[in-house]
Amino acid sequence: MSGVLLWVVSPKENASSLLGLMPRICTPRRSKFCPKLGFSSRVLAYSGAVVNPARSSEEKVYEVVLKQAALVKEQSTVKRKSLDLDERIVTEGLDNWDLLDKAYDRCGEVCAEYAKTFYLGTLLMTPERRRAVWAIYVWCRRTDELVDGPNASYITPKALDRWEKRLTDLFEGRPYDMYDAALSDTVTKYPVDIQPFRDMVEGMRLDLRKSRYQNFDELYLYCYYVAGTVGLMSVPVMGICPESSASTESVYNAALALGIANQLTNILRDVGEDARRGRVYLPQDELAQAGLSDDDIFRGKVTDKWQSFMKGQIKRARMFFDEAEKGVSELNSASRWPVWASLLLYRQILDAIEANGFDNFTKRAYVGKAKKFVSLPVAYGRAIIGPSKLTKQLVLR
């Protein structure tokens, strides 16, 4: 499924399931971890843009982008509460601050295990931002596990409804467990809106009922749901460089583009794996235009038609990566390196598909350790260049 975090690391990347993290979908209760978390009413303002069928997918998603950007602009005028220190609760020798610290630490452990390169990059962030990124990662990972994990066959639409209700509760300061508590605390400190989180749950619903996409407009919306949402979740935490002259909307658009690029890359890498599950995430109309069908995919033979088709698909994914690069340089300096590293590494998966002769039926494209090590200093070099200089270099490239 999804291409996550943040903006780049994918929960699906590591085949191991988070058995210990699998959420129990039941009625949330007031948690001892966060007895009273503050909440801004702005966070729950719902945008109906994504569900309006009269518009193209890009137009629907852009409405959400504008809303996220507006929240960031309001950050300086909106006072966001944190834990109420007058209501400190002591449980088994630990007060609520100790429990929150433990919750964040657990989130960091999960990130370190399943997104090693990105985790190392987060260590360059300020402690507060680092912890917030970990909390978002874990929520996205757990959500992904609902439909891609070991218990996926037991997940029903009603279960996802309960998971979304639980999401609403944690945004209102009623987390169910330790991992929820970390995210519940995070959303009180940053202008993080609930809509991208809800949209990711909607992406899970699509995975339950839909295994074909008629055109790229449909596929784009799916990619936004399961991956583009992550960029919108994370930009408020990573922050925009004070020296940046870019508009807030353009930075969010770049984050969205990176999520789309990542998910398109996932799809192209996993064609064979998805086919064995009866799924085809490639636009049906474009397959037909190329003289291909689902039967050709299930047959799993690399033909001239398939190679030509894949070249076009890879070209489009790279266009989204190009758009994303313009925004990474606008992030806060402490947040750039992990995002650049992840972007460069993920983009090389497309190179690996080409190197495999476009055989994504029987060969899994991946980036070797040597290339990963080479990419890290390159990413660091880009990260230390200021926004205006790097943007000019990318435009002239």
Side-chain angles (χ1 to χ4, degrees):
M1 183 227 90
S2 72
V4 183
L5 194 75
L6 270 151
W7 299 333
V8 185
V9 178
S10 168
K12 188 178 178 182
E13 242 341 76
N14 190 311
S16 300
S17 298
L18 282 83
L19 293 172
L21 293 182
M22 282 302 293
R24 289 176 294 166
I25 313 232
C26 50
T27 304
R29 61 176 182 269
R30 173 72 66 177
S31 169
K32 65 183 180 181
F33 300 115
C34 274
K36 186 177 180 181
L37 287 173
F39 177 66
S40 168
S41 60
R42 287 178 174 82
V43 172
L44 279 182
Y46 180 81
S47 168
V50 174
V51 296
N52 183 350
R55 299 179 175 183
S56 72
S57 293
E58 290 191 43
E59 289 173 326
K60 297 171 190 175
V61 172
Y62 189 59
E63 290 287 339
V64 183
V65 169
L66 291 177
K67 184 184 174 191
Q68 309 314 299
L71 277 175
V72 172
K73 292 176 181 177
E74 292 175 9
Q75 184 178 21
S76 60
T77 60
V78 177
K79 184 177 180 181
R80 309 179 75 82
K81 299 178 183 179
S82 187
L83 282 171
D84 188 343
L85 295 180
D86 293 329
E87 294 196 14
R88 295 175 72 86
I89 291 179
V90 178
T91 305
E92 297 177 358
L94 299 175
D95 62 29
N96 55 324
W97 284 111
D98 293 322
L99 290 166
L100 265 179
D101 285 340
K102 287 177 68 67
Y104 278 116
D105 288 344
R106 290 284 297 276
C107 289
E109 291 169 5
V110 173
C111 189
E113 182 175 356
Y114 294 95
K116 294 179 176 62
T117 301
F118 184 80
Y119 171 78
L120 292 175
T122 64
L123 299 181
L124 297 177
M125 298 179 182
T126 62
E128 187 175 80
R129 282 180 176 162
R130 177 191 315 151
R131 285 158 38 119
V133 164
W134 294 343
I136 294 173
Y137 174 86
V138 168
W139 185 87
C140 292
R141 178 102 198 189
R142 297 175 86 190
T143 301
D144 184 60
E145 284 288 298
L146 291 174
V147 298
D148 272 351
N151 297 319
S153 60
Y154 302 103
I155 296 298
T156 65
K158 287 186 178 180
L160 291 178
D161 291 343
R162 290 194 293 271
W163 182 246
E164 185 171 358
K165 174 61 168 61
R166 176 168 161 171
L167 169 69
T168 300
D169 285 333
L170 77 83
F171 261 80
E172 293 178 340
R174 297 189 299 275
Y176 177 78
D177 62 13
M178 180 176 282
Y179 299 109
D180 283 357
L183 181 59
S184 194
D185 183 56
T186 290
V187 301
T188 68
K189 296 176 179 177
Y190 297 94
V192 179
D193 184 50
I194 196 173
Q195 191 59 45
F197 293 84
R198 283 175 169 163
D199 288 341
M200 179 173 278
V201 177
E202 184 61 27
M204 305 305 108
R205 293 190 179 100
L206 281 180
D207 270 331
L208 289 185
R209 68 174 185 263
K210 194 175 178 72
S211 60
R212 301 290 188 279
Y213 292 84
Q214 293 305 311
N215 51 49
F216 185 70
D217 189 65
E218 286 189 8
L219 185 62
Y220 177 91
L221 189 58
Y222 171 74
C223 290
Y224 158 70
Y225 281 148
V226 301
T229 49
V230 182
L232 305 189
M233 297 173 193
S234 58
V235 169
V237 173
M238 292 191 164
I240 298 175
C241 180
E243 292 80 27
S244 172
S245 59
S247 68
T248 305
E249 291 85 352
S250 68
V251 177
Y252 270 96
N253 266 331
L256 173 64
L258 188 49
I260 301 296
N262 294 336
Q263 187 60 21
L264 290 176
T265 300
N266 282 342
I267 289 169
L268 299 180
R269 179 197 61 196
D270 297 340
V271 168
E273 177 184 331
D274 290 331
R276 288 187 285 276
R277 299 165 60 197
R279 294 181 174 274
V280 178
Y281 287 101
L282 300 167
Q284 292 290 308
D285 61 345
E286 295 179 17
L287 281 169
Q289 290 167 13
L292 297 165
S293 68
D294 289 355
D295 289 339
D296 293 296
I297 294 175
F298 295 142
R299 206 172 289 121
K301 291 185 178 180
V302 179
T303 62
D304 291 341
K305 286 182 179 180
W306 179 254
Q307 290 182 334
S308 178
F309 173 77
M310 283 302 302
K311 288 177 182 177
Q313 299 298 307
I314 289 174
K315 180 179 180 181
R316 177 161 54 202
R318 284 180 174 145
M319 289 174 60
F320 279 100
F321 276 120
D322 290 342
E323 188 64 28
E325 288 189 9
K326 299 174 185 177
V328 182
S329 59
E330 309 298 334
L331 292 175
N332 182 281
S333 58
S335 302
R336 287 181 214 141
W337 186 66
V339 179
W340 268 120
S342 299
L343 185 155
L344 294 177
L345 291 172
Y346 225 81
R347 183 168 187 157
Q348 289 179 73
I349 293 174
L350 298 175
D351 301 335
I353 294 173
E354 291 175 329
N356 286 341
F358 303 100
D359 182 2
N360 41 9
F361 299 118
T362 62
K363 298 179 181 178
R364 183 176 176 85
Y366 67 95
V367 180
K369 289 184 178 180
K371 289 185 177 180
K372 286 182 179 180
F373 283 123
V374 170
S375 297
L376 294 180
V378 173
Y380 183 76
R382 291 195 180 189
I384 61 177
I385 300 176
S388 58
K389 286 185 178 180
L390 188 56
T391 300
K392 288 180 181 178
Q393 290 178 18
L394 292 172
V395 170
L396 295 174
R397 193 168 63 179

